[in-house]
Amino acid sequence: MNFYDTESLWQLFLQGGYRQVEFHEPADVYVINTCTVTQEGDRKSRQMIRRAARANPDAVVVVTGCYAQMSPGEALGIEGVDLVIGNQHRKEMLGMIERIEQERRPFNAVSDILGQKEFEDFDVPMFVDRTRASLKIEDGCNHFCTFCIIPYARGLVRSRKPDSVLAQAKRLSDAGYREIVLTGIHTGGYGEDLEGYALADLLTELEKIPQLGRIRVSSIEASEITDRLIEVLASSKKICRHLHIPLQSGHSEVLRRMNRHYTTEQYADRLRDVRKALPELAVTSDIIVGFPGETDAFFDTAMEFVRAQAFAELHVFPYSPRKGTPAAKFAGQVPEPIKQRRVERMIQLSDELQQTYNRQWTGRVLEVIPEETKVYDGKRYLIGHADNYMKIAFSGDQDLRGATCAVRVQKPGAEVSYGMLESVVARLTGTDPTLSTQVAFAESSAYSLHG
Ligand code: SF4
């Protein structure tokens, strides 16, 4: 999400006639797009701000993003910082910089994000790699999980207007991107603030864009998978057979403490319903281990539950107390060594589940869009993701990057599976070469600008 926002800021500067330079080069303006999701995020943000301020004491140093939103006074107190602007009013950033250049007076532009009602709309030709583009469809979250600071830093759900999403999707697919990943802070919350318009409606409209090859939904809560959405997923020819459905804990008591709005039974029921409609769906998930109050017995129950859900892969995180969230003060904090042991067990389970999921594709054909070339065991392969998010390596011409290739899976693995090219389904067309120069800064959460 932060990469996307950084890219959208860059577009603003680009239109304002700025030129981008490397972070270590002298610049007139430094913009640090910060993170606050963990205390480590705060620390790294402060470190980067100090580096920018030291690099050119005459430059305007702008601190934006989640750390700026949560701790504006602290950010403005760092020597050399001129402007602090949180997760809103960012379109006004250039005007504020011009004023600071004239007046040289530090300015705090952070305001109450929870009162923000409108999605701040930027036109971003952003992509994850040469073949996949990200498209931000919403910002904010209404859930207030007890471990998470995000709603305080990002505000409540604000959906991008459907017309704007569709126009952006059309532009990206015209430029040659075969796959669009719909992203947001809480993607499944799309439409909560729109009258009678939900994610299912948006997906139905996106399906009609002829040039668009694949649509991927980055993440969705189990409670947001409605019967209507299941129908849309089942009838779609473009939506990827992959959903990331965060579970967070496989024990209902821990879920209650997390304020997750579902029990393990309700989660399993929804998963069963989706799989009935889409039997080969890959479901990936997030798990936090060592949440306050998670006993050994709770964790064992969670392991069993996770195993039974047959996930295709898990993202496992040890619980890390975040200042300002209710859970940081909960009794029953779990000692670090115990958390680490649980993380290892859960990761091992994830590897087993991933191998099991991938094995079922042996001998079958998947459509893969190669993104890069890489050397494995001394041999160069094209690497790409299938629609079910399996990472597949196969031999083929470099020119096939961005094309849709039918690949027969031969050797399934955990991180990467190997396959053989059967045919090329669709070649890459309509590529806009100017887009490929933007990847260098899209992958940096902090950059400097030379006016
Ligand atoms: S749903 Fe996600 S973003 Fe929202 S509060 Fe919970 S963890 Fe944070």
Side-chain angles (χ1 to χ4, degrees), residues 141 143-145 147-148 150-151 185-186 221 248 260:
C141 176
H143 273 223
F144 293 92
C145 299
F147 54 83
C148 182
I150 286 175
I185 289 296
H186 190 95
E221 295 288 336
Q248 307 300 12
R260 289 291 296 167

Side-chain angles (χ1 to χ4, degrees), residues 105-395:
R105 256 210 326 261
F107 184 55
N108 177 359
V110 175
S111 58
D112 172 28
I113 191 106
L114 287 167
Q116 184 75 7
K117 298 268 187 294
E118 289 289 317
F119 178 86
E120 202 169 21
D121 202 336
F122 287 93
D123 181 14
V124 192
M126 155 74 177
F127 60 96
V128 177
D129 48 53
R130 194 65 203 87
T131 54
R132 269 187 297 165
S134 271
L135 204 172
K136 182 173 169 180
I137 60 167
E138 73 83 45
D139 210 332
C141 176
N142 297 349
H143 273 223
F144 293 92
C145 299
T146 54
F147 54 83
C148 182
I149 200 77
I150 286 175
Y152 305 96
R154 288 278 183 172
L156 303 176
V157 167
R158 280 111 57 212
S159 306
R160 188 170 181 170
K161 298 270 182 301
D163 285 353
S164 168
V165 176
L166 295 169
Q168 179 80 59
K170 195 166 173 320
R171 268 196 297 278
L172 289 166
S173 42
D174 283 347
Y177 297 108
R178 295 287 303 149
E179 180 177 316
I180 285 183
V181 186
L182 303 180
T183 59
I185 289 296
H186 190 95
T187 319
Y190 182 84
E192 276 177 26
D193 57 334
L194 299 176
E195 201 101 334
Y197 196 91
L199 184 61
D201 300 299
L202 186 69
L203 290 170
T204 308
E205 292 296 319
L206 285 167
E207 180 94 18
K208 294 179 194 157
I209 298 177
Q211 308 87 324
L212 184 51
R214 292 205 303 219
I215 307 161
R216 198 178 292 279
V217 181
S218 63
S219 173
I220 187 160
E221 295 288 336
S223 54
E224 288 156 354
I225 303 175
T226 58
D227 291 347
R228 166 106 203 288
L229 184 66
I230 294 177
E231 270 170 38
V232 172
L233 295 174
S235 62
S236 169
K237 295 205 166 26
K238 296 187 177 179
I239 303 170
C240 293
R241 288 172 295 179
H242 166 226
L243 285 181
H244 186 80
I245 313 175
L247 171 64
Q248 307 300 12
S249 171
H251 196 287
S252 292
E253 172 53 21
V254 179
L255 289 173
R256 190 189 64 75
R257 287 164 165 249
M258 289 177 161
N259 192 29
R260 289 291 296 167
H261 306 280
Y262 53 80
T263 61
T264 50
E265 290 75 23
Q266 286 165 334
Y267 183 98
D269 283 352
R270 226 26 337 206
L271 216 56
R272 212 170 297 125
D273 294 341
V274 191
R275 282 193 168 132
K276 215 183 283 166
L278 294 142
E280 296 189 309
L281 183 76
V283 180
T284 54
S285 196
D286 295 329
I287 306 283
I288 296 174
V289 305
F291 191 76
E294 185 189 69
T295 62
D296 283 343
F298 282 8
F299 181 71
D300 289 342
T301 306
M303 288 280 287
E304 272 171 46
F305 180 80
V306 167
R307 188 181 291 281
Q309 302 319 304
F311 291 115
E313 195 186 353
L314 301 170
H315 300 166
V316 183
F317 306 91
Y319 168 70
S320 142
R322 178 65 183 81
K323 208 171 114 206
T325 61
K329 293 192 182 145
F330 281 0
Q333 299 284 334
V334 177
E336 286 304 317
I338 296 179
K339 270 189 220 168
Q340 278 318 315
R341 277 201 295 278
R342 289 182 191 168
V343 165
E344 282 159 25
R345 282 179 63 195
M346 195 58 88
I347 289 177
Q348 199 183 341
L349 176 56
S350 171
D351 289 348
E352 284 171 33
L353 293 174
Q354 192 175 22
Q355 302 236 19
T356 307
Y357 177 82
N358 290 354
R359 262 201 301 269
Q360 66 178 294
W361 293 94
T362 312
R364 297 170 66 191
V365 174
L366 286 168
E367 284 192 359
V368 181
I369 302 178
E371 296 144 24
E372 54 178 346
T373 57
K374 241 184 189 171
V375 176
Y376 283 111
D377 299 329
K379 209 174 150 199
R380 184 162 289 281
Y381 290 98
L382 283 164
I383 314 280
H385 285 91
D387 77 306
N388 65 359
Y389 215 56
M390 270 175 77
K391 195 172 181 183
I392 314 257
F394 62 99
S395 298

Side-chain angles (χ1 to χ4, degrees), residues 10-136:
W10 167 240
Q11 292 302 314
L12 210 62
F13 281 92
L14 189 65
Q15 284 155 23
Y18 283 75
R19 183 167 65 80
Q20 190 183 58
V21 294
E22 293 295 325
F23 198 77
H24 58 82
E25 290 178 53
D28 299 313
V29 180
Y30 290 85
V31 180
I32 297 99
N33 187 20
T34 57
C35 172
T36 198
V37 75
T38 61
Q39 254 123 270
E40 182 63 6
D42 282 2
R43 194 186 63 77
K44 284 191 179 162
S45 297
R46 285 192 295 268
Q47 203 178 41
M48 196 61 98
I49 297 164
R50 287 196 194 97
R51 256 181 68 190
R54 272 198 307 267
N56 177 7
D58 294 331
V60 174
V61 176
V62 182
V63 183
T64 184
C66 293
Y67 169 68
Q69 182 68 44
M70 293 305 294
S71 312
E74 196 176 280
L76 205 61
I78 299 175
E79 202 182 326
V81 171
D82 297 284
L83 173 62
V84 180
I85 183 164
N87 285 325
Q88 54 188 330
H89 312 307
R90 290 194 280 193
K91 282 195 155 172
E92 295 146 45
M93 192 181 283
L94 258 52
M96 292 184 201
I97 289 171
E98 274 167 28
R99 222 174 71 200
I100 288 166
E101 277 168 339
Q102 285 157 15
E103 298 172 6
R104 295 311 309 197
R105 256 210 326 261
F107 184 55
N108 177 359
V110 175
S111 58
D112 172 28
I113 191 106
L114 287 167
Q116 184 75 7
K117 298 268 187 294
E118 289 289 317
F119 178 86
E120 202 169 21
D121 202 336
F122 287 93
D123 181 14
V124 192
M126 155 74 177
F127 60 96
V128 177
D129 48 53
R130 194 65 203 87
T131 54
R132 269 187 297 165
S134 271
L135 204 172
K136 182 173 169 180

